[in-house]
Amino acid sequence: MMSAKPSLTGGALLIAGTVIGAGMFANPTATSGVWFAGSMLVLLYTWFSMLSSGLMILEVNTHYPHGASFDTMVKDLLGAGWNLINGTAVAFVLYLLVYAYIFVGGNLTAQAGGSVFGGQWPLYAGQLLFTAVFAVCVWLSAKWVDRVTAVLIGGMVLTFLWATGGLLGSVKIPVLSDSGAAAGTQYWIYAAAALPVCLASFGFHGNVSSLLKYFQGDAPKVAKALWLGTLIALAIYVLWQLAVHGNLPRDAFAPVIAADGDVGVLIDNLAQYAEVGSMGKILSFFAYMAIASSFLGVSLGLFDFLADKFKFGDDASGRRRAAALTFLPPLVLCLIFPTGFVTAIGYVGLAAAVWTALVPALMLHRARARFGAGSRYRVYGGTWLAVWVFAFGVINIAAQLLSRWDMVPVFKG
């Protein structure tokens, strides 16, 4: 069911689509304490660390058969204990994200259905339709995910530029540099609140094995797709930070922070300092496409993780079973408990740090000790890179825990 000529562009867009979710709207608020210059450093640090850990997974993956995912690699290299920890973290994050995307995407689908066809669609109808349409793409193959994601990313870029073009043109350097701040204003003391949100904004690691399988073992091509896809995401994040931090003053962020970064409140406050026009409506289209593309990428990663975990074949029967296990549990939970994910979503960054930073660094170290230099792909850097990525994971876990325990400063605007 794989394409004979998988597209590098398609693979890169799949990664970009997975990375760029509606969560990007939280970035300007989460980084408002460190402000624009600080946010650029945090984003670059996170991008480099997350890209590096993804490339580590790729190198390790080349030592195993196509289709092997975390379960096979972690169990073989790190043992049953780490495999249990890692598998729990992967399942928790990916299932929770699929659950959340079904709720949000289903809600937007129901609203759109009511607007187009008249009347009021029930939430469950939107959730069923949203899940059915995009789940079929994942069930069919990565090629279908590639094609649909390419369309969604194209729409995202157009709507993003349409929505933010005016704001980008009205960026004010004094606002961007916070030149009006009082002497002694501190910024870096708020970095702990920014780090976990930025980590969650660069998650694609569940798709590395999927892409290696899709590209039929061509690891260098997968590496190029990871570079290109994450750079596309980074560029969009930087432009969004520029549009918001260049127009809405740092000391005016209090209402947005109080609303947990709600995009409607953000736009209302931006309207006091810049012309926003129909930005809200346009960004709603962007958000829908971002949710759909992330849903495709995240669920594809979960699909392949479960197929590897339970050793489902890549035939029609195996893909049906993997699809049922991927989509039915979060769909049923969403229909019964529509907002149940809210209580757990705050721990996504904490769990993600385990399998996007700690485990890749440990696996790379163990794989190089066992297999030597015989890999078809070797990530740049040596021991220092593994230490860098492992430390990145530890720092993010500490930042998340200290923030939850109210042991670090929190910017209030």
Side-chain angles (χ1 to χ4, degrees):
M1 299 182 77
M2 296 292 104
S3 168
K5 294 182 180 180
S7 161
L8 173 60
T9 301
L13 292 179
L14 190 155
I15 293 298
T18 303
V19 171
I20 305 169
M24 70 166 276
F25 294 126
N27 284 348
T29 305
T31 59
S32 57
V34 295
W35 204 233
F36 182 73
S39 73
M40 292 299 98
L41 292 175
V42 171
L43 283 172
L44 284 170
Y45 169 60
T46 303
W47 165 76
F48 174 76
S49 301
M50 293 289 274
L51 171 63
S52 298
S53 65
L55 294 173
M56 288 177 173
I57 295 170
L58 174 61
E59 179 180 328
V60 173
N61 216 162
T62 60
H63 297 292
Y64 296 88
H66 295 178
S69 188
F70 277 105
D71 186 69
T72 295
M73 296 186 293
V74 178
K75 185 187 298 180
D76 183 51
L77 290 171
L78 303 180
W82 268 108
N83 191 45
L84 177 62
I85 295 170
N86 187 75
T88 301
V90 171
F92 172 77
V93 172
L94 297 186
Y95 266 126
L96 192 63
L97 290 177
V98 171
Y99 183 178
Y101 286 139
I102 289 174
F103 171 74
V104 179
N107 187 32
L108 292 174
T109 301
Q111 292 176 13
S115 299
V116 173
F117 298 104
Q120 185 173 358
W121 279 29
L123 178 59
Y124 72 82
Q127 292 171 344
L128 289 170
L129 181 59
F130 178 85
T131 306
V133 169
F134 294 109
V136 166
C137 297
V138 175
W139 169 70
L140 286 172
S141 72
K143 180 63 178 179
W144 275 88
V145 175
D146 165 351
R147 289 171 173 171
V148 175
T149 300
V151 174
L152 292 171
I153 288 288
M156 285 167 60
V157 170
L158 289 175
T159 52
F160 177 78
L161 294 176
W162 184 8
T164 61
L167 288 178
L168 290 170
S170 64
V171 167
K172 305 168 187 67
I173 298 301
V175 174
L176 199 65
S177 61
D178 198 29
S179 61
T185 297
Q186 294 182 300
Y187 298 91
W188 284 109
I189 61 172
Y190 303 112
L195 281 167
V197 175
C198 290
L199 180 148
S201 298
F202 280 101
F204 62 87
H205 298 65
N207 298 103
V208 175
S209 299
S210 304
L211 273 188
L212 188 61
K213 180 181 176 183
Y214 175 44
F215 284 126
Q216 301 169 356
D218 190 344
K221 196 171 185 179
V222 176
K224 291 177 183 177
L226 298 186
W227 272 95
L228 185 56
T230 56
L231 282 171
I232 290 171
L234 178 63
I236 289 179
Y237 289 163
V238 169
L239 289 175
W240 179 235
Q241 294 284 119
L242 186 63
V244 176
H245 286 183
N247 288 281
L248 183 61
R250 183 173 182 261
D251 58 9
F253 254 88
V256 185
I257 295 169
D260 291 325
D262 181 270
V263 70
V265 177
L266 176 62
I267 292 171
D268 288 343
N269 281 269
L270 275 169
Q272 300 176 35
Y273 299 91
E275 177 61 45
V276 297
S278 55
M279 182 180 177
K281 291 182 180 179
I282 301 168
L283 281 180
S284 68
F285 288 112
F286 171 88
Y288 188 83
M289 288 182 282
I291 289 164
S293 64
S294 285
F295 177 79
L296 284 170
V298 168
S299 56
L300 177 64
L302 179 59
F303 180 97
D304 285 332
F305 169 75
L306 293 171
D308 177 50
K309 175 72 176 175
F310 297 103
K311 310 307 176 191
F312 295 141
D314 198 34
D315 55 4
S317 173
R319 294 188 72 83
R320 278 197 301 270
R321 285 183 288 170
L325 198 55
T326 298
F327 297 106
L328 288 181
L331 176 61
V332 170
L333 279 173
C334 203
L335 292 172
I336 299 174
F337 307 107
T339 58
F341 66 88
V342 173
T343 56
I345 200 76
Y347 295 95
V348 163
L350 184 64
V354 173
W355 60 278
T356 64
L358 303 185
V359 167
L362 292 173
M363 284 200 303
L364 183 72
H365 175 73
R366 192 65 58 84
R368 286 184 174 177
R370 179 187 298 183
F371 301 113
S375 173
R376 285 166 285 169
Y377 170 79
R378 190 174 178 89
V379 65
Y380 49 79
T383 302
W384 73 266
L385 187 67
V387 172
W388 174 288
V389 169
F390 190 88
F392 169 77
V394 171
I395 289 168
N396 269 272
I397 290 171
Q400 180 114 10
L401 291 176
L402 292 173
S403 295
R404 292 205 162 272
W405 296 334
D406 296 323
M407 295 178 67
V408 291
V410 177
F411 182 65
K412 299 293 186 182

